[in-house]
Amino acid sequence: MSGRGKDLRVVIAGAGEVGFRTAEILNERGHDLVLIESDPERCAWLSDQYVATIIEGDATHPDIFRQANPDDADTVAALTDDTPSNLAVCMMARRINPNLHTLMRTDADTGDAHRDLVGAVVYPERAGALLAVNAVLGGDVRSLEHALGDLEISEVRIKEGAPAAGKTLEDVRFPAGTLVVSDQEGTRIARPDTRLVPGQRYIVATEPDVSREVMQLLRG
């Protein structure tokens, strides 16, 4: 994790529906986003959304890609609708910064063919932007697929030293619009005396406007 006051700095190549929604969710959770998009009209629209820094251009071009400062990024997510371009972005990212976590959007025909070359492969057509979010965040916060409108359902690992770590639910002032669903063993519904044990996972439901505050309490 970076030390700039936000968990991750993520560069996303491709700001179509999947790329933008991925950025939107990550921004809601307090991460620092850069979007690279080649369509000028799309870039103008993105600038008004205030979810990320916008770079206009083709992310496969080194001069454009370097404007995103990949040396200072944690993750590069190539989410255009063109699989070869996504692979090219990931390979270029790894060459510039070998420590980067990379993930690429692929398609059903290509499948997992490039899994050994990148950190993660996602199939947004099947699982939506939440799958890309999960690949960016790794195992500590995992969004669950759901059909509950704008509610966010996540499996969250409590981070040692977070404001809520070690406390019971009745001792934590969660904002309205928050529900901790399960205990750490997943065997019963969480109760006021349920303790948020560092390193353990809990199912948490939040309304979008309080998601960032809740993650701050659980993850720090």
Side-chain angles (χ1 to χ4, degrees), residues 185-207:
E185 296 177 352
T187 57
R188 68 172 192 164
I189 298 296
R191 293 166 169 77
D193 63 349
T194 294
R195 191 168 299 278
L196 298 170
V197 179
Q200 296 297 320
R201 297 177 180 272
Y202 299 78
I203 303 298
V204 182
T206 62
E207 295 175 2

Side-chain angles (χ1 to χ4, degrees), residues 89-110:
V89 169
C90 289
M91 298 301 289
M92 180 169 53
R94 279 278 181 87
R95 180 171 295 182
I96 293 172
N97 182 356
N99 296 320
L100 276 171
H101 174 50
T102 57
L103 66 108
M104 65 173 286
R105 173 183 175 182
T106 187
D107 52 50
D109 291 336
T110 304

Side-chain angles (χ1 to χ4, degrees), residues 126-219:
R126 275 192 282 176
L130 290 179
L131 188 59
V133 170
N134 291 340
V136 169
L137 297 180
D140 290 331
V141 180
R142 187 168 70 91
S143 294
L144 306 178
E145 293 179 68
H146 58 87
L148 298 175
D150 291 333
L151 286 181
E152 294 188 15
I153 314 296
S154 302
E155 183 184 75
V156 182
R157 189 198 304 271
I158 307 300
K159 187 174 181 180
E160 185 76 45
K167 298 180 179 178
T168 62
L169 290 181
E170 62 185 349
D171 293 329
V172 181
R173 289 193 172 186
F174 285 107
T178 307
L179 177 64
V180 179
V181 179
S182 70
D183 68 353
Q184 74 266 26
E185 296 177 352
T187 57
R188 68 172 192 164
I189 298 296
R191 293 166 169 77
D193 63 349
T194 294
R195 191 168 299 278
L196 298 170
V197 179
Q200 296 297 320
R201 297 177 180 272
Y202 299 78
I203 303 298
V204 182
T206 62
E207 295 175 2
D209 58 345
V210 301
S211 177
R212 182 180 299 190
E213 183 179 351
V214 172
M215 290 302 164
Q216 177 66 30
L217 287 168
L218 299 177
R219 298 286 303 152

Side-chain angles (χ1 to χ4, degrees), residues 11 13 36 57-71 75-78 80 84-104 117-118:
V11 177
I36 306 175
D58 185 344
T60 64
H61 291 180
D63 289 345
I64 298 295
F65 184 71
R66 286 185 180 276
Q67 292 179 33
N69 195 13
D71 289 318
T75 298
V76 168
T80 77
S85 294
N86 292 339
L87 178 61
V89 169
C90 289
M91 298 301 289
M92 180 169 53
R94 279 278 181 87
R95 180 171 295 182
I96 293 172
N97 182 356
N99 296 320
L100 276 171
H101 174 50
T102 57
L103 66 108
M104 65 173 286
L117 302 177
V118 298

